[in-house]
Amino acid sequence: MSDTGNARRRSTSLWAQHEWSIVALAAAMAFLLGCWGYALAMSPSAAGSEHTWWDVVYASFQLFIFEGPDATAGWPLQLQIARALAPVVLLYTAAAAILKRTETQIALYKLLFRKRRFVVVCGIGETGFRIAKQYLRHSDKQVVVIEKDPMNPMAAELAKWGAIVIFGNAMDPVTLDRARVVYAKEVFLCTHDDQANIAAAKAIDRLTRVLSDSDMAAMAKTVQRHEPHLAGEPPYVGLRAFLCVDEPHLYDVFANHPFFAHATDRFAIRIFNRKQTIARNVFSRCAPDMYYMPREESQPPMHVLFVGFDNLVGELILQTALTAHYPDRRRAQITVLCGDVNRERVQRFLYRFPHLESVVSLKTSFHDPLTLSQAQWVDLQREAPFSVAYVAMREDVDGILAARRLNRHRRQLGEAPVNMVVCLNQQTFLAEIIDDDFLPIIDDKSSLPAHEPIEYFETLDETITIDVVVNDALDTLARTLHNAYLDTLAQTEPAQTAAENASIVPWSALPAHKKQANQHAAAHIATKLRSHGCIACDESDERPAIAFPPDESAMEVLAQVEHRRWMADKQLAGYDYGDTRDEDFMTHPDLVPWEKLGESDKEKDRSNIRQIAGLLAMQGKKVCASG
């Protein structure tokens, strides 16, 4: 938002905060000036005066209802000011009272002139509150909030920031229609009830179907004027719905449901897996290889410790399996340290991903992190020392105490520092009062102190943002990656059809699991760059661009890394080796080691490496040396 917009919002907020104090002060001033002026004009204290002090007070009150004298020539200036100020105060108060009764209706009516320039947030909890506040503070879009609980203090706070608050049920089509939801640019379904979110999504889908062609044409012009193109594709004209889901099994069900694959020119829905997005965001700033990068077998393998086993830890493990493919060609080691109460949860997680242990070496230790002994700490690192530890427990206070205890074991045993990242749920105020042992996320890991390398990651504030949830940079890069794949196929295999290869469709028609595969490939570009001392910089960066890959030797290593990454992605998705490619039976003939891969298939991996610099250029970036 511009500085002018910020200044206007601050001034509006200041007036709203002190409005009635100012009105009360003006009323008191009008009354006192009236008393002063009438006292001078009536002289109630003079001998023989026909007026009393009660007459002065009564006459001053009459000023507020236009009962002042008509002819005031020669009357005191104080009375002249009071006669003008008092009715103005009364009129303002009456107008404010009327406006207060109708301001929501007026604001909602104005939305008809802001089609595709506002958003609707259903459910003001941890996620909905942050999304709404992000739009209020960092965009020019109006925000409409639908909240069921009229006593929700977060809804009241958003109203102070300028949101239009409607109290009602987000599943009710009448409430949705009142919020003008069909004309919104985005709608966020963030209630605590997943069934309510789905019902609301279906109701919104039905409402969008009755939009007229003229309405859609007018909104298309608005979108084209205000929204940027993404990866060379025009912006989406319809209403985008974001459905928040935390439970992994529900996400699996929703991701494969036909309704969520349904997209028209009027309505498209995207499932927002909060824990998955948080895990991906954690790794974008705190990936294991940022702390330690094994480059040859003489070095210890990557060994990652996860403390706790909430849904977030499961997603972090998957991120490790999808990204931990380093030049030393060994599987990363993962140790999970959690209480025995998590045993069933761990078993269910492993059941969901039966091929996980073919991608990473996984070990689970069912001990309470808060009571772990030094001997048990040593035993956990019997095979290799920990490279980095991620602490993500259900309660923030437990995570903070666990990190301190494990770090104390390390110091008392005289071990080398272990970088720790504590993921805070931000459900309490603890993130604001943790002491100097904990540091906010530092992008330059080389500047971390050696004595207490503990960083804390505020999961909600860092993740529930417009840039991460809506303007997903990774999704844009994945879209660019897919379009480049289509261009390559058009040149190399022009006769291939969608029946032979389900990926030969535009991005908008791509199945959810194939979109996710492109996202995984896009996310791993940063890992490949770091493995050879490179990073992606903006084109405006003063550092010079360098060639990537740097040489043919690096090319061959990176191509092998890409193949291992691709295999991991397929295996975690449930694919097995098969003589023929079959999407229904989930088999693929290329799920073999690099040495057994045909030369043409190896060349595909090499081509994927060669195009990295070009893909980044399409995003306005270049490859630079990280030093």
Side-chain angles (χ1 to χ4, degrees):
M1 178 179 290
S2 66
D3 292 339
T4 303
N6 284 325
R8 188 186 304 114
R9 181 157 287 167
R10 283 195 297 270
S11 63
T12 302
S13 177
L14 184 65
W15 170 255
Q17 186 176 359
H18 301 289
E19 176 185 11
W20 294 109
S21 298
I22 297 171
V23 170
L25 182 63
M29 185 181 296
F31 177 73
L32 292 175
L33 287 172
C35 289
W36 187 3
Y38 274 120
L40 294 175
M42 294 180 177
S43 303
S45 58
S49 174
E50 61 180 355
H51 298 291
T52 68
W53 284 104
W54 290 111
D55 295 328
V56 170
V57 172
Y58 183 73
S60 298
F61 276 123
Q62 285 184 307
L63 292 174
F64 288 91
I65 56 173
F66 299 92
E67 291 294 331
D70 293 328
T72 59
W75 282 48
L77 177 63
Q78 296 92 325
L79 185 57
Q80 302 285 12
I81 296 173
R83 192 176 71 146
L85 181 59
V88 169
V89 171
L90 178 67
L91 289 173
Y92 180 86
T93 304
I98 296 171
L99 184 62
K100 188 70 175 176
R101 299 281 297 181
T102 60
E103 63 179 346
T104 299
Q105 286 72 24
I106 293 173
L108 291 172
Y109 177 75
K110 289 180 179 178
L111 293 178
L112 294 175
F113 302 96
R114 290 182 59 87
K115 294 174 181 178
R116 294 293 188 260
R117 301 296 300 150
F118 68 95
V119 300
V120 178
V121 182
C122 302
I124 304 304
E126 297 164 359
T127 299
F129 174 76
R130 284 173 169 81
I131 283 289
K133 195 168 182 179
Q134 276 278 312
Y135 271 100
L136 290 168
R137 297 184 66 178
H138 303 294
S139 84
D140 61 352
K141 290 187 174 71
Q142 177 66 62
V143 176
V144 181
V145 167
I146 299 177
E147 169 56 33
K148 196 172 184 179
D149 180 10
M151 303 302 292
N152 188 335
M154 290 187 285
E157 183 174 346
L158 292 175
K160 290 180 180 179
W161 280 88
I164 304 171
V165 180
I166 299 174
F167 293 108
N169 192 332
M171 293 187 293
D172 182 7
V174 175
T175 302
L176 294 171
D177 187 57
R178 186 180 173 219
R180 317 290 187 192
V181 69
V182 294
Y183 300 122
K185 179 58 182 170
E186 285 106 17
V187 58
F188 300 89
L189 305 169
C190 309
T191 73
H192 296 295
D193 186 343
D194 289 314
Q195 292 183 354
N197 290 336
I198 296 172
K202 290 185 175 180
I204 294 169
D205 182 27
R206 287 191 293 270
L207 289 172
T208 59
R209 296 175 192 174
V210 300
L211 286 171
S212 66
D213 292 339
S214 59
D215 257 340
M216 290 302 301
M219 288 189 288
K221 292 180 180 178
T222 300
V223 172
Q224 293 287 349
R225 187 165 58 250
H226 293 283
E227 301 294 332
H229 282 54
L230 296 174
E233 296 184 11
Y236 180 61
V237 174
L239 170 62
R240 292 190 298 171
F242 295 83
L243 178 68
C244 180
V245 176
D246 274 354
E247 289 297 327
H249 63 279
L250 286 177
Y251 179 78
D252 289 345
V253 172
F254 294 166
N256 295 302
H257 194 281
F259 176 66
F260 296 99
H262 166 72
T264 67
D265 60 345
R266 301 183 177 213
F267 180 78
I269 187 166
R270 175 180 172 186
I271 310 171
F272 171 55
N273 185 334
R274 189 170 65 166
K275 297 298 184 184
Q276 183 187 80
T277 306
I278 289 172
R280 198 170 70 187
N281 205 26
V282 169
F283 269 43
S284 71
R285 302 190 64 190
C286 305
D289 66 276
M290 293 181 178
Y291 303 96
Y292 174 70
M293 173 73 78
R295 299 182 183 279
E296 52 189 38
E297 293 191 8
S298 61
Q299 295 178 298
M302 174 67 72
H303 190 185
V304 185
L305 172 67
F306 292 102
V307 182
F309 202 81
D310 200 359
N311 289 335
L312 178 56
V313 169
E315 295 296 341
L316 288 169
I317 291 173
L318 294 177
Q319 286 296 316
T320 305
L322 289 166
T323 62
H325 307 281
Y326 305 116
D328 71 340
R329 300 180 181 83
R330 285 175 295 179
R331 291 187 301 166
Q333 295 185 20
I334 293 177
T335 295
V336 177
L337 174 63
C338 59
D340 194 65
V341 295
N342 293 293
R343 191 178 294 271
E344 183 178 350
R345 183 186 290 267
V346 171
Q347 290 174 345
R348 289 184 178 181
F349 175 75
L350 294 175
Y351 180 79
R352 285 179 61 218
F353 301 99
H355 298 312
L356 176 63
E357 295 188 76
S358 63
V359 179
V360 295
S361 177
L362 180 65
K363 179 176 69 175
T364 307
S365 177
F366 293 104
H367 293 96
D368 185 354
L370 296 176
T371 61
L372 192 77
S373 68
Q374 287 187 2
Q376 291 168 329
W377 170 256
V378 172
D379 187 60
L380 291 176
Q381 302 177 79
R382 190 174 301 280
E383 297 180 16
F386 292 128
S387 309
V388 61
Y390 297 89
V391 183
M393 302 185 72
R394 189 177 297 274
E395 299 295 334
D396 285 344
V397 64
D398 290 342
I400 292 170
L401 293 175
R404 279 184 173 155
R405 182 174 184 83
L406 299 180
N407 213 24
R408 186 164 60 248
H409 285 337
R410 176 194 63 78
R411 292 197 308 269
Q412 291 173 348
L413 291 167
E415 296 177 343
V418 177
N419 293 94
M420 292 191 181
V421 179
V422 180
C423 299
L424 299 174
N425 298 309
Q426 295 186 265
Q427 295 170 338
T428 67
F429 58 89
L430 285 173
E432 300 174 6
I433 64 170
I434 55 180
D435 57 30
D436 293 339
D437 288 350
F438 295 79
L439 303 170
I441 297 301
I442 298 175
D443 291 325
D444 181 9
K445 304 306 180 186
S446 63
S447 62
L448 282 170
H451 58 287
E452 291 283 358
I454 303 178
E455 298 171 271
Y456 65 90
F457 191 94
E458 296 175 309
T459 57
L460 297 178
D461 286 347
E462 292 278 355
T463 302
I464 309 302
T465 67
I466 298 172
D467 285 339
V468 173
V469 178
V470 183
N471 304 330
D472 193 336
L474 179 61
D475 197 52
T476 303
L477 184 56
R479 187 191 300 249
T480 304
L481 195 65
H482 177 67
N483 290 341
Y485 170 76
L486 294 180
D487 292 341
T488 302
L489 279 183
Q491 296 173 11
T492 59
E493 301 180 52
Q496 197 171 27
T497 64
E500 299 170 306
N501 184 349
S503 298
I504 307 180
V505 292
W507 176 264
S508 58
L510 205 63
H513 70 281
K514 290 190 175 293
K515 284 184 178 179
Q516 195 171 63
N518 280 283
Q519 290 169 345
H520 294 161
H524 201 258
I525 288 176
T527 306
K528 293 185 179 76
L529 292 173
R530 287 194 297 266
S531 72
H532 284 75
C534 302
I535 57 172
C537 301
D538 290 332
E539 287 182 340
S540 59
D541 195 289
E542 294 180 353
R543 287 173 287 187
I546 60 175
F548 190 84
D551 51 49
E552 285 303 313
S553 175
M555 161 69 78
E556 203 64 16
V557 170
L558 288 167
Q560 293 182 41
V561 168
E562 168 60 14
H563 179 63
R564 290 170 56 221
R565 183 212 64 80
W566 176 85
M567 285 182 62
D569 186 47
K570 285 294 185 183
Q571 288 168 328
L572 291 175
Y575 280 76
D576 286 301
Y577 170 80
D579 292 332
T580 58
R581 180 174 180 173
D582 193 312
E583 297 291 340
D584 294 329
F585 288 94
M586 302 184 78
T587 60
H588 204 292
D590 292 342
L591 284 171
V592 294
W594 174 264
E595 295 75 18
K596 297 183 179 180
L597 207 59
E599 189 58 32
S600 62
D601 292 315
K602 288 181 179 180
E603 189 55 35
K604 289 179 183 177
D605 289 316
R606 297 185 186 109
S607 177
N608 289 337
I609 303 303
R610 291 191 192 99
Q611 71 177 355
I612 287 177
L615 290 171
L616 293 175
M618 293 179 188
Q619 305 297 310
K621 295 184 179 296
K622 61 183 179 181
V623 179
C624 302
S626 58

